[in-house]
Amino acid sequence: MRLGVLTGGGDCPGLNAVLRALVRRGVLEFGHEFVGILNGYEGLMEPRLTEALTLDSVRGILPKGGTILGTSNKANPFKYPERVDGKIKEVDRSDVAAKRYRELGLDGLVVVGGDGTLSIGHQLAEKGLNVVGCPKTIDNDLSGTDQTFGFDTAAGIITEAIDRLHSTAEAHQRVMVIEIMGRNAGFLTLEGGIAGGADVILIPEVPYRAESVVRKLKDRAARGSKFSIIAISEGAYPAGGSVAVAQAADEIPGRGVVRLGGSGKVLADLLAPQIDAEIRVTVLGHLQRGGTPSSADRVLATMYGAMVLDLVRDGRWDHMVCLRDGKLQFTSLAESRKERHVDVAGDKMRMARSMGISFGE
Ligand code: F6P
């Protein structure tokens, strides 16, 4: 078979590991041929954005961050950004993608991405293309799977960052706020916050009350702890307030969703008048997506990349690989449309609360 493959949405550690596994198993076991489609769906829309993916081109890429195919989160064929009468508008150009798929002589298309990329894959499958998917995102917010690759690496980076903030927080007796990615899900903040020993963890699933955070900081100070660490999700917001938006959706044609950012500063401004300690805000940003994947992410990405070929072999188009209860399984691509959220009554939250971590409730 001749299979197209693309990586879409925000990059994350493990994408290259998927490509390597896919091509190795695809060539060695099935004799498939792979066409790499560059820059996410942009490569299906614009000419000359393809290159052969061979055993040679995937050699040595396992530990590399990013993606050798490039990616984009602004190239949705169903809402493709185009200049119309001097203004950028989103136009349905999915017919162009379908035509290009046929021109490239593809028998199938493997899309590796998060909810945006996978749900576009589902829409293309509805137009008759043979699409299968592989779930990635540092946010871990896809309902179809218990875990996406990229999450473990990002959680490790967050943990190390919090460790480093501890020493400077202690030296200056400050309150350190660390703003963590994850969009509207708090998985990264909860995981990194617990692993890094944060005193307060604020996630989108639990709108926080500033008074409650102030109380926690004062309690700590009264017990002799002169510094505190607050881990806050970019999507966290005060009860009765709204999320901090860095860029509105209509300012980013082709993307379809807002870009979050600024929740740490919002919190610091609410706390500052009520506490004596100095506050500093660190926005961890794209450091969370960069660099080499952890061993757990390399393994998960490798399993996903190899396993997606079972879907191709069985002609189970419009499906993706996933992990459920520790087992590799398959689910429909349509599942990727639903967001997954932290279970606020789950074990991690319960245990964290029981040992005094504040969620600003
Ligand atoms: O989905 C991954 C993610 O890193 C989110 O956590 C974050 O909100 C977003 O992407 C940032 O997107 P961009 O790279 O376009 O700034």
Side-chain angles (χ1 to χ4, degrees):
M1 278 188 170
R2 186 169 153 86
L3 299 173
V5 50
L6 63 83
T7 52
D11 71 325
C12 79
L15 286 168
N16 286 325
V18 169
L19 299 177
R20 172 179 171 270
L22 176 73
V23 172
R24 282 179 67 107
R25 184 179 181 208
V27 171
L28 298 175
E29 185 175 332
F30 298 104
H32 293 325
E33 187 188 345
F34 289 93
V35 179
I37 292 164
L38 307 183
N39 303 347
Y41 287 106
E42 193 188 334
L44 262 193
M45 304 299 295
E46 310 289 339
R48 289 185 297 282
L49 281 179
T50 56
E51 67 184 28
L53 261 189
T54 62
L55 288 177
D56 273 350
S57 51
V58 299
R59 184 167 296 127
I61 66 171
L62 175 62
K64 285 193 182 151
T67 158
I68 60 165
L69 293 180
T71 187
S72 167
N73 51 14
K74 294 187 294 186
N76 181 347
F78 294 87
K79 289 182 179 176
Y80 204 64
E82 273 182 14
R83 195 168 284 280
V84 180
D85 300 332
K87 285 198 177 133
I88 303 281
K89 292 208 169 127
E90 293 178 342
V91 188
D92 183 351
R93 289 279 179 247
S94 52
D95 286 345
V96 175
K99 187 163 163 263
R100 186 126 174 79
Y101 170 93
R102 283 189 283 276
E103 282 168 0
L104 287 167
L106 301 180
D107 300 303
L109 176 66
V110 181
V111 299
V112 187
D115 60 344
T117 305
L118 296 170
S119 60
I120 293 167
H122 171 61
Q123 286 175 276
L124 289 174
E126 284 182 328
K127 279 181 88 82
L129 273 58
N130 292 336
V131 185
V132 287
C134 187
K136 70 88 222 186
T137 166
I138 62 166
D139 305 337
N140 212 19
D141 61 348
L142 296 187
S143 76
T145 183
D146 292 349
Q147 183 134 359
T148 52
F149 64 86
F151 173 73
D152 182 74
T153 309
I157 294 167
I158 294 161
T159 305
E160 188 191 336
I162 295 178
D163 285 350
R164 288 177 186 274
L165 283 178
H166 261 103
S167 55
T168 173
E170 190 167 14
H172 283 269
Q173 306 181 353
R174 283 174 172 160
V175 170
M176 291 295 197
V177 175
I178 177 169
E179 182 179 315
I180 293 166
M181 280 185 169
R183 296 198 308 176
N184 302 312
F187 294 104
L188 277 175
T189 309
L190 183 62
E191 196 81 2
I194 292 175
D199 308 295
V200 179
I201 297 178
L202 304 177
I203 59 175
E205 290 83 351
V206 185
Y208 65 84
R209 290 187 305 117
E211 318 82 76
S212 165
V213 178
V214 168
R215 202 178 323 118
K216 170 72 181 174
L217 301 179
K218 288 190 170 163
D219 280 358
R220 276 178 56 78
R223 278 186 284 107
S225 298
K226 297 202 165 41
F227 71 95
S228 292
I229 304 284
I230 304 177
I232 181 169
S233 297
E234 60 181 3
Y237 57 96
S242 52
V243 289
V245 171
Q247 215 176 0
D250 56 9
E251 288 172 30
I252 329 170
R255 179 169 166 132
V257 290
V258 299
R259 194 162 63 79
L260 296 176
S263 64
K265 164 102 172 58
V266 169
L267 174 71
D269 289 348
L270 289 171
L271 299 182
Q274 305 185 59
I275 59 171
D276 296 331
E278 282 186 308
I279 307 172
R280 292 290 185 270
V281 179
T282 300
V283 180
L284 204 47
H286 291 81
L287 285 173
Q288 293 160 100
R289 294 214 314 240
T292 191
S294 65
S295 56
D297 276 341
R298 290 182 198 197
V299 172
L300 186 59
T302 298
M303 294 301 120
Y304 279 169
M307 186 85 167
V308 85
L309 289 163
D310 283 8
L311 290 174
V312 173
R313 179 196 61 205
D314 300 341
R316 291 182 73 177
W317 309 112
D318 202 13
H319 279 73
M320 66 177 195
V321 290
C322 65
L323 189 75
R324 282 199 175 135
D325 300 325
K327 289 206 177 79
L328 286 170
Q329 300 187 18
F330 309 120
T331 187
S332 109
L333 271 181
E335 268 295 302
S336 60
R337 288 184 159 175
K338 298 177 214 149
E339 265 186 14
R340 201 166 72 94
H341 289 280
V342 169
D343 175 3
V344 296
D347 289 346
K348 275 190 190 152
M349 294 278 291
R350 280 196 307 115
M351 291 309 123
R353 281 192 195 99
S354 76
M355 51 174 290
I357 295 175
S358 164
F359 288 93
E361 291 156 293

